[in-house]
Amino acid sequence: MANTRQHQLHEKKLEELMKLMPFYVVEYVDQKLGSRSPSTLLNYVHDYKLFFEWLMAEGITNAREIKDIPMSVLENLKLIEAQGFIRFLERRDIQVNKQDTKKSEKVSINRKISALRSLFKYLTTQTENEDGEPYFHRNVMLKIEVTKVKETLNARAARIATKIFHQDDDIRFLEFLKNDYEQELPADSRKVVYFKRDKERDIAILSLFLGSGIRVNELSNLRLRDMDFEMGQISVLRKGNKRDTVAVVPQAMDDVKDYLAIRNQRYNATGEDYEFVFLTKVKNEPQPLSNRTIEALVKKYTKAFMSNKSMSPHKLRHTFGTNLMEETNDIHLLMMQLGHSTTSTAALYTNPEQEKARKALKELGEKRKER
């Protein structure tokens, strides 16, 4: 299942983390690898690690290492103890940076509950011992509720709208990078040196996000063979390992061409069709850019442009989706372009009811003036 570099990396990390886990978690992961991605399972096992560490800290198990925690601890876990773990998740402080901390978001807590539910369901219904029975029957996690985060489609759409580029800000942003960003850097600094080296590459990345709406993982896994300049489109690997063809704004393809013109010489790369498009240079050797590096450069440049806030690749994707919807008002075209399978997700990029409300209220305000 690990077809992308991100999945391959997560598979290696998962393999290392499994060395710390009890046999029943190792067995669970082995069984689920065919149906769930390494990325999902890696997140689950991180959640299990946190849970097991809490069990040891609370004295619920006498085991000194996670891998030695017996399955009987899960079988006999009391409801009040399971609820105690949830309260721990809600109250703990998570370090954001050296100065700041934050509380866990409800979505994050729900994911941990879901991860534990999946493990407990496996152990109580999908396993079989020598007697043909599940490893154990009592599933305390069934008594722990997942409280869904309540938010209307209007609220989600409005929240997204406050965090993306509007009108022609995306165009101005790219112009800022091409013409003005370098002037804001300290003269003769390393920042200037690196920007000059990576300018064409970084502009191509940002332009491609804003000109196609692809996801960060889809961009980082682009190979030279995936670029079709004649047709103005690219081939990407969507979620679920589905291959798809995506149309690209012509100007974005031009920016990619400008980058490819200097790519081989500047990053010691070759033009082999299997090579990754976007590279960095490590010890004078070409290396494909990681998702984290791409996310960091998007944050850096958008913060420089907007001064007080930054954006993520996903927000650039939202910007493209909103622009496409405003231009075409075609939700099915939007779904195809962004790789959505349901109209409910695509509907986040258009909010006609909210627009109708704004116009109606404006008219009411005009009537008040007349009286």
Side-chain angles (χ1 to χ4, degrees):
M1 189 176 227
N3 289 341
T4 67
R5 285 191 298 116
Q6 187 77 357
H7 279 183
Q8 290 167 3
L9 176 63
H10 286 174
E11 200 167 60
K12 289 180 181 178
K13 289 183 177 180
L14 181 61
E15 190 177 328
E16 286 300 309
L17 195 54
M18 294 310 297
K19 296 175 183 177
L20 306 176
M21 293 293 115
F23 80 90
Y24 46 88
V25 173
V26 176
E27 186 180 301
Y28 165 83
V29 170
D30 187 57
Q31 289 294 319
K32 298 296 181 182
L33 264 175
S35 58
R36 296 192 177 172
S37 72
S39 303
T40 298
L41 290 171
L42 179 62
N43 285 330
Y44 274 21
V45 177
H46 276 299
D47 294 339
Y48 300 153
K49 182 173 180 288
L50 181 64
F51 173 63
F52 289 138
E53 288 172 343
W54 179 83
L55 290 176
M56 291 190 295
E58 292 295 312
I60 296 172
T61 176
N62 294 323
R64 295 187 176 182
E65 294 187 27
I66 289 175
K67 64 181 178 182
D68 296 327
I69 296 177
M71 198 159 40
S72 59
V73 171
L74 275 59
E75 179 182 7
N76 298 315
L77 191 68
K78 297 173 183 174
L79 177 58
I80 193 172
E81 292 170 335
Q83 291 170 334
F85 177 64
I86 306 305
R87 285 194 296 274
F88 159 74
L89 294 176
E90 293 170 341
R91 296 170 183 173
R92 73 187 182 121
D93 291 321
I94 301 172
Q95 201 74 36
V96 178
N97 51 46
K98 291 181 179 180
Q99 289 82 28
D100 303 317
T101 61
K102 68 173 185 177
K103 299 295 182 184
S104 291
E105 295 181 7
K106 197 65 184 176
V107 172
S108 176
I109 295 172
N110 283 346
R111 192 200 72 191
K112 291 173 173 55
I113 295 173
S114 297
L116 285 171
R117 278 188 161 190
S118 181
L119 176 62
F120 274 73
K121 180 181 178 181
Y122 170 77
L123 296 174
T124 56
T125 65
Q126 299 170 351
T127 53
E128 191 173 285
N129 61 22
E130 293 178 354
D131 299 322
E133 293 290 322
Y135 286 162
F136 59 88
H137 291 278
R138 182 176 173 276
N139 185 349
V140 70
M141 290 308 299
L142 287 176
K143 301 176 183 179
I144 301 295
E145 294 184 6
V146 174
T147 306
K148 290 187 177 181
V149 179
K150 295 180 180 179
E151 188 177 36
T152 65
L153 187 63
N154 272 354
R156 287 187 67 193
R159 177 167 52 80
I160 289 169
T162 63
K163 299 177 180 178
I164 64 174
F165 287 129
H166 289 285
Q167 297 176 335
D168 292 330
D169 279 348
D170 55 334
I171 299 172
R172 284 190 283 270
F173 169 59
L174 292 174
E175 289 299 319
F176 164 76
L177 292 181
K178 292 176 181 180
N179 304 317
D180 303 319
Y181 176 77
E182 185 179 337
Q183 313 307 318
E184 297 189 359
L185 299 176
D188 301 322
S189 67
R190 292 180 66 83
K191 289 183 178 180
V192 172
V193 173
Y194 285 124
F195 177 68
K196 286 183 175 179
R197 185 192 72 178
D198 298 328
K199 180 178 180 179
E200 290 84 357
R201 183 200 69 186
D202 294 354
I203 288 173
I205 287 171
L206 294 159
S207 187
L208 197 52
F209 276 133
L210 290 167
S212 67
I214 59 175
R215 299 176 177 91
V216 63
N217 200 46
E218 294 164 358
L219 185 139
S220 67
N221 280 286
L222 281 174
R223 312 268 184 152
L224 292 176
R225 64 183 176 226
D226 297 326
M227 310 300 299
D228 187 340
F229 291 100
E230 184 176 347
M231 297 300 294
Q233 62 191 26
I234 57 178
S235 176
V236 299
L237 193 63
R238 297 288 199 190
K239 286 183 176 180
N241 295 323
K242 297 175 183 176
R243 182 60 64 176
D244 197 6
T245 300
V246 179
V248 182
V249 170
Q251 289 79 2
M253 293 298 276
D254 288 341
D255 287 333
V256 175
K257 276 185 182 178
D258 290 342
Y259 158 64
L260 292 180
I262 56 88
R263 170 184 173 275
N264 294 359
Q265 181 267 333
R266 203 167 292 176
Y267 298 96
N268 291 345
T270 72
E272 297 291 343
D273 63 357
Y274 58 81
E275 277 206 353
F276 290 99
V277 173
F278 294 107
L279 304 172
T280 187
K281 196 159 61 173
V282 179
K283 295 181 179 179
N284 218 34
E285 290 294 323
Q287 295 289 335
L289 284 179
S290 67
N291 288 4
R292 183 173 294 183
T293 299
I294 294 169
E295 288 164 354
L297 71 85
V298 171
K299 181 178 180 179
K300 176 181 71 174
Y301 290 126
T302 52
K303 188 172 183 179
F305 178 67
M306 298 188 292
S307 298
N308 62 335
K309 63 179 181 178
S310 60
M311 293 167 69
S312 65
H314 201 64
K315 294 302 182 291
L316 300 186
R317 172 176 162 85
H318 278 307
T319 297
F320 172 82
T322 301
N323 288 342
L324 183 63
M325 196 63 194
E326 288 178 354
E327 185 71 25
T328 66
N329 199 32
D330 188 336
I331 197 166
H332 295 290
L333 172 63
L334 180 70
M335 288 173 63
M336 288 178 58
Q337 183 72 25
L338 297 184
H340 287 155
S341 56
T342 63
T343 55
S344 61
T345 305
L348 290 172
Y349 299 92
T350 178
N351 202 345
E353 298 306 317
Q354 200 171 64
E355 187 60 31
K356 285 180 185 176
R358 277 195 291 268
K359 289 181 179 179
L361 292 174
K362 185 177 181 180
E363 289 174 6
L364 285 174
E366 292 299 324
K367 287 181 179 179
R368 283 189 181 185
K369 289 180 182 179
E370 295 170 2
R371 292 180 181 177

